[in-house]
Amino acid sequence: MNKFVSALCALGLGAVLVASVQAATNNEKIIERIKPAGSVCMVGDDSCGGAAAASAGSGGRSGEDVYNTKCSACHGTGVLDAPKFGTSDWADRGAKGMETLLANAINGINAMPPRGTCADCSDDEIEGAIQHMLDSAK
Ligand code: HEC
């Protein structure tokens, strides 16, 4: 009889434990579900995929992304005589070779500001953006 009771107790305790563990996981699911949509994730915050997004591809933003967000303001239209995207301007510049173009883009040259104002661009990202513009040459 005693054995039976303690077996029942163990069963009961087990059931309570299982129930509370389930409650805990349900709470987590609920919290997950009621999180605000589109929570902000800052670049460089790798706790929320920010770094993953920022370092998509080979360790950086794509050349196209960098160009679109940082360089197109001048190079899209040819402001201040910037070599214009999609024109022979870039074929001419390409003759200088990537090493020179990259160094000039990083340090700035005439009206071209250092890093094209992209202070947080890595050298690789700058090079990608230059390549994207070189590829556009007609
Ligand atoms: C404020 C306008 C401006 C922005 C923004 C800008 N550029 Fe330029 N860029 C220029 C101008 C003007 C020149 C032409 C400079 C010259 O040769 O006199 C130039 C020239 C260049 C050249 C040619 C350098 C050479 O040696 O001939 C490269 C490469 C270049 N830019 C890359 C970039 C990249 C990459 C970005 C974005 C990360 C960028 N630029 C953003 C204005 C800009």
Side-chain angles (χ1 to χ4, degrees):
M1 178 64 182
N2 250 349
K3 260 191 183 162
F4 181 67
V5 168
S6 60
L8 259 188
C9 278
L11 263 181
L13 199 68
V16 168
L17 274 176
V18 167
S20 60
V21 165
Q22 259 171 0
T25 36
N26 281 343
N27 276 345
E28 274 162 31
K29 278 184 192 152
I30 290 165
I31 289 166
E32 193 60 41
R33 253 186 271 133
I34 61 175
K35 267 186 186 171
S39 48
V40 176
C41 184
M42 304 299 281
V43 170
D45 178 359
D46 46 21
S47 70
C48 58
S55 62
S58 56
R61 288 163 282 194
S62 74
E64 188 178 355
D65 273 1
V66 173
Y67 166 77
N68 285 335
T69 52
K70 304 291 181 179
C71 322
S72 63
C74 296
H75 289 278
T77 52
V79 178
L80 307 165
D81 276 337
K84 194 173 165 187
F85 189 82
T87 68
S88 61
D89 289 359
W90 278 107
D92 298 345
R93 301 277 174 166
K96 293 184 173 186
M98 178 56 87
E99 215 172 303
T100 306
L101 292 177
L102 182 60
N104 289 344
I106 287 170
N107 299 319
I109 175 173
N110 302 323
M112 161 75 193
R115 293 189 182 273
T117 70
C118 182
D120 68 345
C121 279
S122 69
D123 293 359
D124 281 352
E125 287 171 334
I126 299 284
E127 182 172 341
I130 296 172
Q131 192 59 55
H132 181 65
M133 293 192 276
L134 286 173
D135 290 346
S136 78
K138 298 246 160 57

